[in-house]
């Protein structure tokens, strides 16, 4: 019965996500058409005349009425065709699939760094209110939100690469002295381990450290703040006072009962933070010349590349739906009442 209720919950979440995806497709299509610039002009080049531009516009289907363009676009989507990029001439789906692992690898490592710093910091700040650790938590969260990611990235590059020489050059996923490992997962670190190439693995880790810290510093603020707030609320509850009165060890009270009951809002925050990181790491990718989908989207916007922009936004929307579905599943694992009440 519990499995059936959980399966029904997942099915309902998928059905609820469908209108959101449809709405995103419509809004994205309309917004890309409202972008300044004409992709036919960009594609034709500065020396093209009006006749050449008109021919290119007709070949791209941009001379048709808006509703016809949308019908053709949806028809291609249903066949798994996101169109071709005007900038590169390659299928958008292939471009996104080739760049997505780079963004995912960076985002996941940054999220791991954020959790490793923010979770203990939030717990310690909640158990020692108004102490120096609580003040440190407030300073770190304020600085993480206030400092722009491009400033943090450039500062880390200046200190650790230029001044100290401890970090490799911020030139993409791998130093030019190394060849990329054979693609299996698309993650250079995992693929290098699967190939048994430890040198390439450590080289990939070295390239990841600074951009991951840059992105992680910006996103650890909401995690630490939510952890602190949820822990304070949990530690002030009646069951915590009962556990303390029963003589249970402080470590067990804080970690088992306190953190165990505070983890649900933290999980929600982690899902939101991950979705935000994946879609907003554009500046980090630009600073570190990271070949991810964020930099791909910026290049597409500059070129008024409709297909590439629409493909990027649709990919982000689908990932957002998948992340939220994963959060719902984790919820049912952490708190069975969610599956029953859902």
């Amino acid at each position: 019965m519990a499995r059936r209720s959980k399966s029904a919950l997942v099915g309902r979440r998928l059905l609820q996500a469908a209108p959101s995806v449809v709405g995103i497709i419509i809004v994205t299509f309309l917004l890309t058409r409202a972008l300044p610039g004409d992709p036919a002009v960009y594609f034709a080049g500065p020396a093209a005349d009006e006749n050449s531009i008109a021919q290119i516009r007709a070949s791209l289907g941009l001379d048709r009425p808006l509703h016809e363009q949308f019908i053709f676009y949806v028809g291609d989507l249903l066949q798994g065709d996101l169109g071709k990029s005007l900038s590169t001439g390659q299928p958008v789906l292939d471009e996104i699939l080739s760049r997505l692992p780079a963004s995912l690898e960076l985002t996941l490592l940054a999220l791991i760094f954020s959790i490793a710093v923010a979770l203990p910091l939030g717990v310690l700040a909640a158990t020692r209110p108004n102490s120096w650790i609580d003040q440190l938590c407030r300073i770190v969260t304020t600085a993480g939100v206030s400092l722009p990611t491009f400033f943090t990235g450039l500062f880390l590059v200046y200190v650790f690469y230029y001044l100290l020489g401890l970090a490799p050059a911020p030139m993409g996923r791998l130093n030019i002295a190394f060849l990329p490992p054979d693609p299996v997962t698309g993650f250079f670190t995992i693929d290098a381990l699967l190939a048994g190439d430890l040198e390439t693995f450590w080289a990939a880790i070295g390239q990841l450290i600074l951009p991951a810290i840059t992105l992680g510093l910006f996103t650890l603020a909401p995690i630490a703040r939510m952890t602190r707030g949820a822990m304070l609320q949990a530690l002030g509850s009646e069951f915590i006072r009962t556990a303390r009165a029963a003589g249970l060890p402080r470590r067990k009270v804080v970690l088992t009962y306190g953190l165990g009951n505070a983890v649900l809002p933290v999980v929600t925050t982690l899902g939101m933070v991950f979705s935000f990181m994946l879609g907003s790491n554009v500046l980090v990718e630009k600073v570190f010349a990271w070949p991810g989908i964020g930099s791909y989207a910026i290049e597409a916007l500059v070129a008024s590349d409709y297909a590439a922009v629409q493909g990027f936004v649709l990919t982000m929307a689908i990932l957002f739906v998948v992340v939220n579905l994963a959060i719902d599943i984790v919820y049912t694992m952490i708190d069975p009442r969610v599956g029953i009440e859902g």
Side-chain angles (χ1 to χ4, degrees):
M1 185 67 69
R3 282 185 182 176
R4 193 172 298 173
S5 64
K6 291 180 181 180
S7 300
L9 175 64
V10 172
R12 282 197 297 271
R13 293 294 188 268
L14 285 173
L15 290 176
Q16 291 169 3
S20 301
V21 175
V22 172
I24 288 169
I25 291 173
I26 296 173
V27 172
T28 305
F29 176 83
L30 295 176
L31 287 179
T32 50
R33 267 53 184 182
L35 287 174
D38 188 342
V41 175
Y42 179 87
F43 187 73
D49 56 16
E50 289 295 330
N51 290 332
S52 300
I53 295 174
Q55 290 176 2
I56 293 174
R57 189 177 289 114
S59 66
L60 296 175
L62 299 177
D63 61 333
R64 296 171 180 166
L66 201 60
H67 67 278
E68 289 187 15
Q69 295 183 41
F70 181 72
I71 292 171
F72 282 111
Y73 173 61
V74 173
D76 290 339
L77 280 183
L78 294 176
Q79 300 176 30
D81 183 8
L82 298 180
K84 283 191 176 183
S85 171
L86 293 179
S87 306
T88 63
Q90 300 298 318
V92 172
L93 183 60
D94 293 345
E95 293 271 3
I96 289 177
L97 291 178
S98 66
R99 289 171 174 264
L100 186 58
S103 293
L104 285 175
E105 189 173 32
L106 172 59
T107 303
L108 287 173
L109 187 61
L111 185 63
I112 292 171
F113 168 75
S114 295
I115 295 172
V117 174
L119 204 61
L121 189 61
V123 172
L124 290 173
T127 55
R128 297 169 176 81
N130 298 320
S131 65
W132 68 269
I133 193 72
D134 193 15
Q135 300 299 328
L136 177 63
C137 180
R138 293 174 183 174
I139 292 172
V140 169
T141 55
T142 302
V145 172
S146 303
L147 294 176
T149 52
F150 72 88
F151 172 81
T152 306
L154 291 173
F155 177 77
L156 292 178
V157 169
Y158 177 73
V159 173
F160 291 99
Y161 169 66
Y162 182 74
L163 291 182
L164 301 179
L166 298 176
M171 297 298 292
R173 302 180 70 185
L174 207 58
N175 190 288
I176 58 174
F178 295 88
L179 293 176
D182 293 333
V184 179
T185 64
F187 288 30
F188 280 8
T189 51
I190 296 177
D191 291 346
L193 285 178
L194 292 176
D197 189 350
L198 292 181
E199 288 189 9
T200 303
F201 169 77
W202 288 115
I205 287 290
Q207 296 291 134
L208 271 167
I209 288 176
L210 287 189
I213 291 176
T214 301
L215 191 59
L217 285 174
F218 182 69
T219 54
L220 67 84
I223 302 174
R225 194 172 296 169
M226 179 57 71
T227 303
R228 180 183 180 275
M231 281 293 296
L232 284 173
Q233 185 176 2
L235 293 176
S237 302
E238 189 67 32
F239 64 87
I240 293 292
R241 287 193 289 269
T242 303
R244 286 172 174 166
L248 294 178
R250 185 173 185 272
R251 182 185 183 89
K252 184 177 181 63
V253 171
V254 172
L255 297 181
T256 304
Y257 295 100
L259 185 59
N261 284 274
V263 73
L264 283 176
V266 175
V267 168
T268 304
T269 305
L270 289 178
M272 295 172 61
V273 165
F274 178 77
S275 301
F276 172 76
M277 292 168 75
L278 192 58
S280 62
N281 58 3
V282 176
L283 294 177
V284 177
E285 291 186 2
K286 280 298 182 183
V287 169
F288 293 92
W290 201 260
I293 55 175
S295 56
Y296 176 68
I298 288 295
E299 294 166 2
L301 280 171
V302 172
S304 296
D305 194 339
Y306 291 165
V309 174
Q310 291 168 169
F312 168 78
V313 176
L314 187 59
T315 302
M316 291 297 100
I318 293 173
L319 286 174
F320 185 79
V321 170
V322 170
V323 168
N324 278 276
L325 181 60
I327 292 172
D328 287 335
I329 295 173
V330 172
Y331 257 53
T332 60
M333 295 170 61
I334 296 174
D335 189 353
R337 295 172 299 176
V338 175
I340 297 172
E341 296 169 359

